């Protein structure tokens, strides 16, 4: 069929012209729809990335919070254990040193009895009284010893600041006497492994 024989749009019937127009519009609409789908996909991708970043930030924050809580928990556990150890030690000390206060109160009575024995007994009545004081003192010293309270050795011993309290010093007679106790002014006592009362002494220098 020659060009002259091929019918132009003008020569086509009205119905066919309308069909061609609709087909052309459909093609254009299809192109527009494809473009719109692509644009929609791009727009949908943007919020997804933002949401992912937000989720990552939330995970990081929760992870840090968990670490902080774990650290606080471990610190609390350590504090509880330390408190329990302190309580156990204090309780053990109370049991171990339960007689300390009583022993301290009795020491003044022991001192008075010892001073009473230094008084000279001139008659039978005084001697009998002195004998009774001696027996009382022996009973007190024995009771103190049974409860872990013993006299500190001081006379002639090397001065020990944890056991002796120097209230006076005198010149040493020789080099061996230097730094040693030459006189005890008041007896000292230890209670188990504690110094209940240091001995008041005179030290040679």
């Amino acid at each position: 069929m020659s060009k002259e024989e091929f019918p132009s749009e003008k020569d086509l019937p009205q119905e066919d012209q309308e069909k061609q127009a609709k087909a052309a519009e459909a093609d254009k609409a299809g192109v527009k729809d494809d473009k719109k789908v692509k644009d929609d996909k791009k727009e949908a991708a943007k919020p997804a990335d933002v949401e992912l970043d937000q989720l990552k930030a939330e995970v990081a924050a929760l992870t840090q919070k968990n670490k902080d809580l774990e650290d606080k928990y471990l610190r609390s556990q350590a504090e509880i254990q330390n408190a329990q150890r302190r309580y156990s030690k204090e309780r053990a000390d109370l049991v171990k040193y339960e007689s300390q206060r009583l022993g301290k109160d009795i020491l003044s009575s022991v001192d008075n009895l010892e001073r009473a024995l230094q008084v000279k007994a001139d008659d039978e009545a005084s001697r009998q009284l002195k004998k009774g004081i001696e027996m009382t003192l022996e009973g007190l010293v024995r009771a103190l010893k049974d409860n872990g309270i013993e006299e500190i050795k001081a006379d002639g011993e090397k001065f020990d600041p944890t056991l002796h309290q120097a209230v006076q010093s005198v010149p040493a007679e020789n080099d061996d006497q230097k730094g040693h106790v030459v006189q005890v002014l008041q007896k000292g006592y230890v209670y188990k492994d504690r110094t209940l009362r240091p001995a008041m002494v005179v030290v040679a220098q």
Side-chain angles (χ1 to χ4, degrees):
M1 182 181 290
S2 65
K3 185 177 179 181
E4 291 78 4
E5 295 176 347
F6 191 81
S8 65
E9 291 182 1
K10 294 179 179 179
D11 298 332
L12 289 173
Q14 183 68 27
E15 185 179 348
D16 291 338
Q17 289 181 13
E18 291 177 356
K19 288 182 179 179
Q20 285 185 352
K22 288 181 179 180
E25 288 177 3
D27 290 340
K28 289 180 181 179
V31 172
K32 288 181 179 179
D33 290 342
D34 291 342
K35 187 178 180 181
K36 185 178 180 183
V37 169
K38 291 179 181 178
D39 291 341
D40 290 344
K41 287 182 178 178
K42 288 181 181 179
E43 291 298 325
K46 289 180 181 178
D49 292 339
V50 173
E51 186 177 355
L52 180 60
D53 291 340
Q54 289 177 347
L55 289 174
K56 287 181 179 178
E58 289 179 7
V59 169
L62 289 173
T63 301
Q64 184 61 44
K65 186 176 182 180
N66 183 61
K67 287 182 180 179
D68 293 341
L69 290 173
E70 183 179 5
D71 183 63
K72 288 180 180 178
Y73 170 77
L74 292 175
R75 288 177 183 273
S76 298
Q77 287 294 105
E79 288 177 2
I80 291 172
Q81 290 177 0
N82 289 336
Q84 289 176 338
R85 281 194 290 268
R86 284 195 300 270
Y87 173 76
S88 297
K89 185 179 183 302
E90 289 172 1
R91 185 175 178 80
D93 287 345
L94 285 174
V95 173
K96 183 178 181 180
Y97 302 110
E98 60 183 348
S99 301
Q100 177 173 318
R101 184 174 179 181
L102 177 61
K104 255 185 176 179
D105 292 340
I106 292 176
L107 291 182
S108 59
S109 298
V110 172
D111 293 338
N112 291 332
L113 291 173
E114 287 178 341
R115 279 192 287 269
L117 290 176
Q118 292 174 2
V119 177
K120 188 176 180 180
D122 295 329
D123 51 47
E124 184 62 24
S126 299
R127 285 192 286 273
Q128 290 295 327
L129 180 60
K130 190 172 183 179
K131 183 65 176 177
I133 293 173
E134 286 177 349
M135 293 175 64
T136 303
L137 178 61
E138 288 174 0
L140 280 176
V141 171
R142 185 168 53 252
L144 290 172
K145 191 172 182 179
D146 290 343
N147 284 275
I149 300 173
E150 297 186 35
E151 182 183 339
I152 294 172
K153 292 181 179 180
D155 195 15
E157 299 289 324
K158 184 175 178 60
F159 177 75
D160 183 348
T162 62
L163 300 174
H164 310 135
Q165 181 180 352
V167 295
Q168 187 180 346
S169 63
V170 296
E173 295 178 359
N174 51 60
D175 291 340
D176 293 337
Q177 197 182 50
K178 285 184 179 180
H180 287 70
V181 176
V182 293
Q183 185 181 356
V184 179
L185 301 178
Q186 185 184 62
K187 291 181 179 179
Y189 293 86
V190 291
Y191 177 43
K192 297 181 179 179
D193 54 354
R194 286 183 176 181
T195 300
L196 189 61
R197 188 182 75 182
M200 298 175 65
V201 299
V202 178
V203 183
Q205 298 291 342

